Amino acid sequence: MHIPDFLFGYSSLGVPLGILFWIIALVFVVLAIKWARNNLDESKIPILAVIAAGIFALQAFNLPTGFGVSGHLVGGALAAIVLGSPFAAVFVLAIVLVIQALVFGDGGVLALGANIINMGVIAGFVGFYSFSALKSRVGVPISAAVAGWLACVIAASVCAVEIAIIGAVPIGVGLPTMFIYHALIGIIEAIITGIVVVLIFNVRPELTGNTEKKAMPVNKFLAIGLVIALIVGGCAVFLASGDPDGLDSTLLVSGGAKDIFAPAHGEIEEAHDPVGWESPMPDYVLGGEDAGAVGGLIALVIGIFAALVVILLAARIVYAASGRKSS
């Protein structure tokens, strides 16, 4: 669902609209920083970092969904549910998306605003409020899974509207195609969100308001979370699907290079990229295509540690600026 910059080259309105999306995203990022100042403490910061590293790793792991399409976790619902606020999703996803765009070329620089809106704001708010509405009726696992599915599908639908507005894909093609593909990809989101939420709530029960059950020590949680993220990242290098994701598949359908329910038989025709950013490790590989699996492993390790460290630093800076002390 990472929108690339070349999609803003299909229309003269592309760049102004990209800037508008940036402005909207920045409003929510400012609100997310305010949330962090008021709510983060020494016990929550490592949880925030583990979620960021995990989301980075899982977003690199595309799984096949059928019809020649693959998909990965968005993570907005997961972050919002675990940390109890949609602004947590904005905080985490904004940093993860910046790293992905600047370092790995996954999503564009001009497109960062739209991508933060979709995967941070929309997915975070839909996921959090869906979970909140359902958990007393159907329990945590099912409500988290449903929230993850809804967050994925609605964020994808908003993405379809955005790429129609910038003139990249007609709404009559983009909206139903993105919906169909992400209804399938959302199953992956639902399963992962449901499982991870339950696991984290079990080892860190204070996140649910349960202060009687003993929680896993913060350092142990951080270490285990990092190891799991690295394992997932390693699996992504060797096991990830090579099929195009939901957005790329929609672009292929729009360009006549793919039928909705069949594998692609052509390539995406890219418009002029108005930014032309060249990332140092495109496609999550260090050293180019010739580097093979080793280059992929190194790049993903760098990315996972970057997400972890940048979130830790950003959260600690915001927390220190708040002047509060952990109890």
Side-chain angles (χ1 to χ4, degrees):
M1 205 188 298
H2 293 68
I3 298 175
D5 279 338
F6 73 81
L7 289 189
F8 292 88
Y10 285 101
S11 164
S12 60
L13 293 176
V15 172
L17 286 168
I19 294 171
L20 175 61
F21 295 147
W22 255 94
I23 293 170
I24 295 170
L26 284 173
V27 171
F28 283 95
V29 169
V30 170
L31 292 173
I33 293 171
K34 183 178 179 180
W35 166 83
R37 284 172 60 96
N38 294 332
N39 293 277
L40 286 184
D41 55 34
E42 292 290 353
S43 66
K44 288 182 179 178
I45 290 173
I47 298 171
L48 196 76
V50 166
I51 290 173
I55 288 174
F56 182 94
L58 286 163
Q59 286 197 356
F61 199 165
N62 277 37
L63 296 171
T65 61
F67 310 124
V69 181
S70 68
H72 59 70
L73 181 84
V74 172
L78 174 61
I81 292 168
V82 169
L83 287 153
S85 171
F87 291 109
V90 179
F91 192 88
V92 170
L93 267 298
I95 291 175
V96 169
L97 289 167
V98 167
I99 293 170
Q100 290 174 331
L102 297 182
V103 182
F104 301 99
D106 193 3
V109 176
L110 179 61
L112 263 172
N115 287 329
I116 291 171
I117 290 170
N118 298 338
M119 289 183 267
V121 178
I122 302 298
F125 275 80
V126 171
F128 176 76
Y129 286 106
S130 298
F131 174 77
S132 299
L134 292 171
K135 66 178 178 179
S136 62
R137 296 179 174 87
V138 296
V140 169
I142 295 176
S143 56
V146 172
W149 187 86
L150 287 171
C152 178
V153 172
I154 294 176
S157 299
V158 172
C159 178
V161 173
E162 291 166 349
I163 61 177
I165 292 173
I166 62 178
V169 177
I171 190 70
V173 175
L175 186 56
T177 307
M178 286 286 281
F179 181 88
I180 290 169
Y181 288 152
H182 286 86
L184 296 172
I185 294 169
I187 297 172
I188 297 171
E189 186 94 19
I191 294 170
I192 294 174
T193 303
I195 292 173
V196 174
V197 166
V198 169
L199 289 175
I200 292 178
F201 281 177
N202 280 337
V203 298
R204 300 294 304 186
E206 81 282 3
L207 294 171
T208 67
N210 183 353
T211 57
E212 296 181 359
K213 183 179 177 182
K214 186 177 180 181
M216 178 183 290
V218 169
N219 290 338
K220 183 177 180 181
F221 179 86
L222 185 61
I224 292 175
L226 177 59
V227 169
I228 293 172
L230 290 170
I231 291 172
V232 171
C235 291
V237 173
F238 298 101
L239 302 176
S241 171
D243 291 332
D245 67 10
L247 176 56
D248 284 347
S249 294
T250 298
L251 297 176
L252 288 164
V253 170
S254 178
K258 185 183 187 310
D259 296 324
I260 292 181
F261 302 112
H265 51 78
E267 297 182 354
I268 298 171
E269 295 185 9
E270 298 185 5
H272 170 69
D273 184 339
V275 177
W277 176 260
E278 294 185 9
S279 60
M281 288 179 271
D283 299 323
Y284 298 97
V285 178
L286 177 65
E289 294 181 359
D290 294 337
V294 173
L297 280 171
I298 294 172
L300 278 168
V301 169
I302 291 172
I304 289 166
F305 273 99
L308 185 86
V309 171
V310 173
I311 280 280
L312 280 173
L313 289 174
R316 290 192 182 281
I317 290 170
V318 172
Y319 173 60
S322 71
R324 295 181 297 108
K325 294 182 180 181
S326 290
S327 56

